[in-house]
Amino acid sequence: MIEADYVTTDPDVLAAYSSDQAGFVRAGRPVALARPRETADVVRVLEYAHEHRIPVVPQGARTGMSGGATAVDGAILLSLERMDRILDIDEVDHTATVQPGVVNAVLSKAVAEKGLFYPPDPGSWESSTIGGNVATNAGGLCCVKYGVTSDFVRHLEVVLADGRVLRTGRRTAKGVAGYDLVRLITGSEGTLGVVTEVTVALRPAAEKPLTALAFFHTSAAACRAVTAYLGTGRRPSVLEFMDKATVDAVSAYRDLGFPDDVGAVLIAQSDRGPAAPDDLEAFAVAARECEAMEVFVASDQAEADLLIEARRLVGVALGRLGDQLVDDVCVPRSRLAELIEGIAEIGGEHGVAVPCCGHAGDGNLHPTVVFDAGDPESVRRGQAAFDAIMALGLRLGGTITGEHGVGTLKRAWLETELGEVGLSVHQAVKRAFDPHGILNPGKVIHGKPS
Amino acid sequence: MIEADYVTTDPDVLAAYSSDQAGFVRAGRPVALARPRETADVVRVLEYAHEHRIPVVPQGARTGMSGGATAVDGAILLSLERMDRILDIDEVDHTATVQPGVVNAVLSKAVAEKGLFYPPDPGSWESSTIGGNVATNAGGLCCVKYGVTSDFVRHLEVVLADGRVLRTGRRTAKGVAGYDLVRLITGSEGTLGVVTEVTVALRPAAEKPLTALAFFHTSAAACRAVTAYLGTGRRPSVLEFMDKATVDAVSAYRDLGFPDDVGAVLIAQSDRGPAAPDDLEAFAVAARECEAMEVFVASDQAEADLLIEARRLVGVALGRLGDQLVDDVCVPRSRLAELIEGIAEIGGEHGVAVPCCGHAGDGNLHPTVVFDAGDPESVRRGQAAFDAIMALGLRLGGTITGEHGVGTLKRAWLETELGEVGLSVHQAVKRAFDPHGILNPGKVIHGKPS
Ligand SMILES: Cc1cc2nc3c(=O)[nH]c(=O)nc-3n(C[C@H](O)[C@H](O)[C@H](O)COP(=O)(O)OP(=O)(O)OC[C@H]3O[C@@H](n4cnc5c(N)ncnc54)[C@H](O)[C@@H]3O)c2cc1C
Ligand SMILES: Cc1cc2nc3c(=O)[nH]c(=O)nc-3n(C[C@H](O)[C@H](O)[C@H](O)COP(=O)(O)OP(=O)(O)OC[C@H]3O[C@@H](n4cnc5c(N)ncnc54)[C@H](O)[C@@H]3O)c2cc1C
């Protein structure tokens, strides 16, 4: 193994670094953990691994939900967490350049102090890293208005499988010189290269958002309201959906004074400052047209915070229900109601609870399959429901993952989504970057490339 | 050659289809022109070409400015112009699916009739095709607010070099299943595959824009105003720059009543309806802070049209000056003033006029090198100036092409921009898609892949 102060083979440490947040994924046994501080160290690890054909698993904060950062047998775990310096914030060009281990919240706060704004806000933003966000092309609540991580990545430094350093992209707002390798690598989940430096675009700070909340009798009505509202041409900065089971779980965790017979909730925000009240009024109109039971529009910040509280509590409230596997399907917005209805049926068929919430404005739903990890039969039923949900998503013209990625959890399903030609092009691209298949093997696409 | 009613070998027709709009590029001699109507025909052409190792040059409307669609020796020209059907416009999901030969203006008007909006608006929009726009990742005036073509492409059908049909991307607003092949192919200038179907995202119609225009004594002052204005957080739907030479050319072509001593012009638009006057007032404030000579804010549509007229006339007005080569460099916005100043020096050194205009909000400038095609010495000087401008763009942290692409015209410069590792990754990707190098050979990257 490489002799360096940033490498350890301590079994306890290795065990602690072997898994991410995915359910149903078994970690392999790594041989070492490297936690470099500089690109040169990453180069050394890759050169060594390439020469000896040792698998390398890049890791950020291991908040991933699909097993992308989970250890494989015989691998070097390559954690970027110590490469955590913000290198530059440019207040004229509105860019920031960071090492990959910088935590999203650290960057967001640093740019906010300069009156700037880094929109991508995955639920994990207080712990996940920019490198991990880039590698998974993370989304978040703000996407519906501002886009996902890849919409903000301009330039990358990437250590390739053989240790060469690729600098790709540009620092300009536009550019079409050559292939878009930045986009190819963004979202590639550590299978094409190790991201060692990221330049992202920033925006001037947005105004503090105002919030509205609407109760509906049914999910279908809530979905109609989404379409009606977005049809007005307004771009909410947040547009979230919660189904009855999710609302019930939240209410059980903390009484927010919600009516008993709520069938679904929509929460909308606008951060357009003086135009925000008008935006939310349009939301209220759309909601009422779609037979909302009640609509609340916050008139100040305190009220706004209260209304979004329900969405904030979802994670912890659902956590109380049992073990869980958070799915992540995305369908064309017009099919959202069918998706939600279908998931309820799937839950019934397999005898598991599947509360649903998600980013309604994007058609991106997070059905949470609740099961009992101690009961193999419950695990089996949970797994079956999880699979059935992806099949449904594909049937509705959607994708098996809107933002959490493929990792190992959804690798088999990816083959179905890509089809034969798509899969073979993926394999050809993988081979072009990583001919010996040492980078995060078994993640995203299957098998050892030839 | 393939026997089919969509294939011709008529030398006059071949000659007519052999070039695009690039200067300084010599067309090769093609062997045939295929103008298929269906994907199946494209498959047949590629299968044949692949088997016989015949180069294929995909073509849209041949409005390209970099020689991407120009014939190479022995090639089949594959024009997609007859695949011009709009297949679907979805008014709920806000998407359109088209064949590649649909002209941008035809799509834009069709969706506008349904209250929808397809923002990418290259200057060539009345003739260039969606397939060509995708293959070049075309920009336009609206980019500064809405983004470029790739920001709207969701799903592609692509015929690969060997005739297999790849369907890639998704119809949903978000998705991270697998590598982003859509982005990889978008902007690849026909070197990775032939685009035979495109699904783009649409937006609800924007309001008609209002316009403001500011005169400055110097380009430097205009550039400071750009930074000041964008620093307010507003997103103009258009923010264009014209230097003194451009303004003079326009005034010589048509008297718009501009003052004599104008050193530079900025034109801003806002399409935020009721918020537009306020946006433009902020522009006026920023311009005045930066010592604008005069600022005009249109108070109605007629006035707005008048103010944008100057920008519209640039192409034809510059055309009067002589033969021209339109360059297309993009720099970080903070370096725009240096770029403009440096270009004036380059023009002086090489004894050619180089009027500059461009998309100031993006740092994307179009210096137009004016020369006399009949005078070899003038051509030489023009070419030298053109090269010097790209070198300057790179030195300022920019790119050799903001939106026109590499084609053959900028292939050598691309190698400089990419560097050794970048170039070798490009070649590896090209080989992965097109192992025999039959797709648009010699464009974008050099030489026959191994
Ligand atoms: C509570 C919670 C909420 C979440 N909410 C969201 C959400 O709203 N939206 C969303 O998209 N995701 C969400 N996630 C999933 C996860 O947080 C994101 O995928 C995040 O981007 C992962 O970042 P990380 O630093 O933890 O990366 P890791 O989990 O460590 O790694 C993720 C993947 O990226 C690779 N990787 C990491 N760093 C690098 C690097 N420097 N170079 C190359 N490859 C690398 C890994 O190999 C792995 O494949 C959530 C997770 C949790 C636990
Ligand atoms: C007056 C004028 C103004 C312009 N303004 C702008 C502008 O504002 N912004 C901008 O970005 N560009 C601009 N351009 C450049 C040009 O119009 C764009 O690049 C446009 O996208 C080219 O479209 P086209 O259909 O003419 O493609 P072509 O010129 O025929 O081809 C362009 C490239 O795409 C490839 N290609 C074409 N169709 C396909 C397909 N279906 N599949 C695979 N490859 C294909 C070709 O091989 C070639 O490499 C302008 C050009 C002119 C003449």
Side-chain angles (χ1 to χ4, degrees):
Chain A
M1 196 38 63
I2 321 157
E3 299 281 332
D5 62 355
Y6 53 82
V7 176
T8 176
T9 55
D10 179 328
D12 292 342
V13 180
L14 295 192
Y17 277 81
S18 282
S19 290
D20 65 10
Q21 296 294 316
F24 292 156
V25 171
R26 194 171 302 241
R29 293 170 65 101
V31 294
L33 166 69
R35 280 174 292 183
R37 286 209 165 75
E38 299 297 339
T39 299
D41 302 333
V42 177
V43 168
R44 221 178 131 207
V45 171
L46 269 297
E47 281 176 349
Y48 180 90
H50 190 253
E51 188 187 341
H52 299 279
R53 307 283 191 266
I54 301 173
V56 173
V57 178
Q59 299 187 325
R62 289 175 292 107
T63 68
M65 309 278 270
S66 62
T70 293
V72 302
D73 284 333
I76 299 173
L77 304 176
L78 178 57
S79 169
L80 285 307
E81 67 186 355
R82 286 182 179 164
M83 290 181 65
D84 63 353
R85 276 182 297 133
I86 295 178
L87 302 172
D88 179 56
I89 297 174
D90 189 316
E91 296 178 59
V92 176
D93 287 322
H94 296 172
T95 58
T97 300
V98 301
Q99 289 189 314
V102 170
V103 167
N104 182 304
V106 171
L107 175 62
S108 296
K109 284 169 192 162
V111 305
E113 276 169 23
K114 298 184 190 282
L116 294 167
F117 173 33
Y118 178 64
D121 61 344
S124 59
W125 74 296
E126 292 192 297
S127 51
S128 65
T129 66
I130 297 298
N133 294 171
V134 169
T136 59
N137 192 10
L141 265 57
C142 284
C143 298
V144 63
K145 175 163 179 179
Y146 294 104
V148 294
T149 299
S150 60
D151 294 309
F152 293 86
V153 183
R154 290 215 178 145
H155 189 273
L156 293 176
E157 180 187 86
V158 180
V159 180
L160 299 173
D162 58 8
R164 286 179 305 158
V165 179
L166 171 69
R167 291 186 182 81
T168 187
R170 51 196 65 83
R171 311 205 179 249
T172 54
K174 276 162 69 182
V176 293
Y179 304 145
D180 195 342
L181 301 182
V182 167
R183 286 281 184 152
L184 183 63
I185 290 163
T186 301
S188 67
E189 302 186 37
T191 64
L192 299 181
V194 179
V195 175
T196 50
E197 194 184 295
V198 183
T199 299
V200 293
L202 306 170
R203 296 178 61 121
E207 311 250 2
K208 280 223 164 237
L210 275 190
T211 310
L213 182 151
F215 296 119
F216 297 85
H217 289 292
T218 64
S219 291
C223 292
R224 281 199 308 278
V226 168
T227 294
Y229 180 42
L230 294 177
T232 65
R234 287 165 209 263
R235 298 214 126 188
S237 55
V238 164
L239 186 52
E240 294 289 305
F241 166 86
M242 297 161 63
D243 75 351
K244 180 171 173 45
T246 305
V247 173
D248 288 350
V250 169
S251 294
Y253 177 74
R254 185 175 300 165
D255 185 4
L256 296 172
F258 284 8
D260 283 341
D261 51 348
V262 172
V265 164
L266 285 183
I267 299 175
Q269 291 195 324
S270 167
D271 60 2
R272 294 208 302 147
D278 187 59
D279 285 350
L280 296 184
E281 195 41 48
F283 170 75
V285 168
R288 285 192 199 102
E289 268 170 16
C290 298
E291 290 156 28
M293 299 162 59
E294 278 184 277
V295 189
F296 298 93
V297 177
S299 51
D300 59 31
Q301 209 46 58
E303 264 182 56
D305 287 346
L306 215 90
L307 294 183
I308 196 81
E309 181 74 0
R311 181 64 182 85
R312 282 218 195 88
L313 293 175
V314 167
V316 43
L318 293 182
R320 295 288 171 98
L321 300 181
D323 299 301
Q324 46 175 299
L325 192 62
V326 182
D327 210 336
D328 166 47
V329 283
C330 190
V331 293
R333 225 161 41 219
S334 60
R335 317 300 293 271
L336 194 57
E338 284 167 85
L339 179 67
I340 295 166
E341 217 165 278
I343 289 170
E345 277 169 30
I346 289 168
E349 267 167 41
H350 295 87
V352 285
V354 192
C356 287
C357 67
H359 315 307
D362 294 320
N364 185 191
L365 203 69
H366 294 312
T368 299
V369 179
V370 181
F371 64 100
D372 174 359
D375 169 4
E377 168 58 15
S378 168
V379 172
R380 200 198 52 70
R381 282 187 281 117
Q383 174 77 64
F386 188 78
D387 283 340
I389 290 167
M390 280 184 286
L392 174 64
L394 287 180
R395 221 156 49 232
L396 295 174
T399 173
I400 57 164
T401 174
E403 54 181 26
H404 290 167
V406 175
T408 47
L409 190 63
K410 298 189 169 183
R411 199 183 54 200
W413 280 101
L414 181 68
E415 299 191 6
T416 307
E417 176 163 341
L418 296 181
E420 201 186 316
V421 177
L423 182 64
S424 99
V425 175
H426 272 68
Q427 285 165 334
V429 169
K430 168 72 175 171
R431 273 197 301 274
F433 276 81
D434 181 18
H436 302 303
I438 63 163
L439 274 174
N440 223 359
K443 313 298 174 75
V444 184
I445 52 176
H446 190 74
K448 242 194 150 64
S450 63
Chain B
M1 193 43 56
I2 321 157
E3 298 281 332
D5 62 354
Y6 53 81
V7 175
T8 175
T9 54
D10 179 328
D12 291 343
V13 180
L14 295 193
Y17 278 79
S18 282
S19 290
D20 65 10
Q21 297 293 317
F24 292 156
V25 171
R26 194 171 303 238
R29 292 171 66 102
V31 294
L33 167 69
R35 280 174 293 184
R37 285 208 166 73
E38 298 298 337
T39 298
D41 303 332
V42 177
V43 168
R44 215 174 136 212
V45 172
L46 269 296
E47 281 175 350
Y48 181 87
H50 191 252
E51 189 186 338
H52 299 280
R53 307 283 190 266
I54 301 173
V56 173
V57 178
Q59 299 186 324
R62 290 176 291 108
T63 67
M65 310 277 270
S66 64
T70 293
V72 302
D73 284 332
I76 300 173
L77 304 177
L78 178 58
S79 169
L80 285 308
E81 67 187 355
R82 287 182 179 165
M83 291 181 64
D84 63 353
R85 275 181 299 132
I86 295 178
L87 302 171
D88 179 56
I89 297 175
D90 189 315
E91 296 178 60
V92 176
D93 287 323
H94 297 173
T95 58
T97 299
V98 301
Q99 289 190 314
V102 171
V103 167
N104 181 305
V106 171
L107 174 62
S108 295
K109 284 170 192 163
V111 305
E113 276 169 22
K114 299 185 188 281
L116 295 167
F117 173 33
Y118 178 63
D121 61 343
S124 59
W125 74 296
E126 292 192 297
S127 50
S128 66
T129 66
I130 297 297
N133 294 171
V134 168
T136 59
N137 191 9
L141 264 57
C142 283
C143 296
V144 64
K145 176 164 179 178
Y146 294 104
V148 294
T149 299
S150 60
D151 293 309
F152 293 85
V153 183
R154 291 215 178 145
H155 189 273
L156 293 176
E157 181 187 85
V158 180
V159 180
L160 299 173
D162 58 7
R164 287 179 303 158
V165 180
L166 171 69
R167 292 187 182 80
T168 186
R170 51 195 66 82
R171 308 199 183 254
T172 55
K174 274 161 71 180
V176 293
Y179 303 145
D180 194 341
L181 301 183
V182 167
R183 287 279 184 152
L184 183 63
I185 290 163
T186 301
S188 68
E189 303 185 37
T191 64
L192 299 181
V194 179
V195 174
T196 49
E197 194 184 295
V198 184
T199 300
V200 293
L202 306 171
R203 297 176 62 122
E207 311 249 4
K208 278 222 164 239
L210 275 190
T211 310
L213 181 151
F215 295 119
F216 297 85
H217 289 293
T218 64
S219 292
C223 292
R224 281 200 308 279
V226 169
T227 296
Y229 180 41
L230 295 176
T232 66
R234 287 164 208 265
R235 298 216 130 188
S237 55
V238 163
L239 186 53
E240 293 290 305
F241 166 86
M242 297 161 63
D243 74 352
K244 179 170 174 44
T246 306
V247 174
D248 288 349
V250 169
S251 294
Y253 177 73
R254 184 173 302 164
D255 185 2
L256 296 170
F258 284 8
D260 284 339
D261 52 346
V262 172
V265 164
L266 285 182
I267 299 175
Q269 291 194 325
S270 167
D271 60 2
R272 293 208 302 146
D278 188 58
D279 285 349
L280 295 184
E281 196 39 48
F283 170 74
V285 168
R288 284 193 201 102
E289 269 170 15
C290 298
E291 290 155 28
M293 298 161 61
E294 278 183 277
V295 189
F296 298 92
V297 178
S299 50
D300 60 31
Q301 208 46 56
E303 264 182 55
D305 288 345
L306 215 89
L307 293 183
I308 195 83
E309 181 74 359
R311 182 64 182 85
R312 283 216 194 88
L313 292 176
V314 166
V316 44
L318 293 182
R320 295 288 171 100
L321 300 181
D323 299 301
Q324 45 174 299
L325 191 63
V326 183
D327 209 337
D328 165 47
V329 283
C330 189
V331 294
R333 224 160 42 218
S334 59
R335 315 300 295 270
L336 193 56
E338 284 166 87
L339 178 66
I340 295 166
E341 216 165 279
I343 289 171
E345 277 169 31
I346 289 169
E349 266 167 42
H350 295 87
V352 286
V354 192
C356 287
C357 68
H359 316 306
D362 294 320
N364 186 190
L365 203 69
H366 294 313
T368 300
V369 179
V370 181
F371 65 100
D372 174 359
D375 169 4
E377 169 57 16
S378 170
V379 173
R380 200 198 51 73
R381 283 187 282 119
Q383 175 77 63
F386 188 78
D387 283 341
I389 290 167
M390 281 185 284
L392 174 63
L394 289 179
R395 222 155 49 232
L396 294 174
T399 174
I400 56 164
T401 173
E403 53 182 25
H404 290 169
V406 176
T408 48
L409 190 63
K410 298 188 169 184
R411 199 183 55 199
W413 279 101
L414 182 68
E415 299 192 5
T416 307
E417 177 163 343
L418 295 180
E420 200 186 316
V421 176
L423 181 65
S424 97
V425 174
H426 272 68
Q427 286 166 335
V429 168
K430 168 73 176 170
R431 273 196 302 274
F433 276 81
D434 181 17
H436 302 305
I438 64 162
L439 274 173
N440 223 0
K443 313 297 174 75
V444 185
I445 51 175
H446 191 72
K448 240 195 150 64
S450 64

